[in-house]
Amino acid sequence: MTIALLAVGCTTQPTAGTAPTAGTAPTAGTAPTAGASRTTAFNATDTAWIQLMIPMNERAQLLTDLAPSRKTDPAMAALVTETGSRLREDMRRLRALLQLSGVPDTRPHEGHNMPGMVSLTTIEKASATTGPAFDSILTAALHAHFTHSRMLCASERIHGQAGQAKELATHIATNTAEQISWLDRLRPPQPAPGGNLAATRP
């Protein structure tokens, strides 16, 4: 069963000069050629999940990379440093899985904007702010990223086939759950409908 939720909400955005190119996964010419045994271990859900998680993490890292120069709150800075480290490690493992799957790195979601993905507009706004204003943009975007990443990983764990991919999905889901809890402790209470501060966060 193909993971339908991966394609939901894709909208194309301008990419000229904005799409990250560093660390691009190996091309089809460098992918393993050990034959069908490797490729058939991965089903359509596995490869769709990998090909979506890579650009999602790339966008999130573009945002976290801004933080050191934006004078964020020290507690927020610690979260962002840890998040950036985890994103880099997750992307390394995702690209290795894509190569192992034998699927060409066609980057099908290049320039797209999907639910939970940090948008190029958000990155532009964050680039123009510092201090509390930056922290506000950062926390909202990271919360959406963590939440949607968990949802995607949950679907991969149910519908995926490759053991390595499902193991990584479990790892990412556990990490994002921890990061959501950490982030929620740092976020101010959110206004409830009617204007009062809510006791809980979204």
Side-chain angles (χ1 to χ4, degrees):
M1 175 179 178
T2 301
I3 186 168
L5 62 87
L6 295 183
V8 173
C10 285
T11 57
T12 302
Q13 290 192 347
T15 59
T18 59
T21 57
T24 300
T27 63
T30 60
T33 57
S37 60
R38 282 185 172 182
T39 303
T40 54
F42 290 76
N43 66 10
T45 293
D46 296 320
T47 55
W49 175 75
I50 294 166
Q51 289 179 320
L52 180 52
M53 289 297 296
I54 289 173
M56 281 193 64
N57 283 8
E58 285 176 337
R59 288 279 187 88
Q61 189 171 352
L62 286 177
L63 184 61
T64 59
D65 284 350
L66 293 173
S69 62
R70 302 294 155 181
K71 300 179 180 177
T72 63
D73 175 82
M76 182 62 67
L79 170 62
V80 172
T81 298
E82 179 65 20
T83 297
S85 177
R86 293 183 182 187
L87 287 170
R88 284 187 289 274
E89 175 60 16
D90 291 344
M91 284 192 288
R92 182 191 68 77
R93 294 179 66 181
L94 286 162
R95 287 173 178 136
L97 283 178
L98 184 62
Q99 185 178 19
L100 183 63
S101 76
V103 174
D105 183 20
T106 57
R107 300 182 69 86
H109 299 290
E110 188 78 59
H112 291 184
N113 188 38
M114 292 159 283
M117 177 180 277
V118 178
S119 69
L120 297 176
T121 299
T122 296
I123 294 170
E124 290 173 1
K125 288 180 179 178
S127 298
T129 61
T130 59
F134 175 81
D135 287 351
S136 179
I137 295 172
L138 179 70
T139 55
L142 286 182
H143 199 280
H145 170 81
F146 293 150
T147 300
H148 202 68
S149 290
R150 286 186 69 194
M151 183 174 70
L152 295 175
C153 289
S155 190
E156 161 60 20
R157 291 163 68 187
I158 295 170
H159 301 297
Q161 177 173 291
Q164 299 102 316
K166 297 175 76 169
E167 178 183 352
L168 181 55
T170 299
H171 172 77
I172 294 174
T174 299
N175 279 347
T176 53
E178 294 173 356
Q179 290 169 300
I180 288 171
S181 296
W182 189 354
L183 183 60
D184 281 346
R185 291 194 296 270
L186 299 179
R187 299 173 80 200
Q190 303 298 301
N196 295 323
L197 290 178
T200 60
R201 298 176 174 84

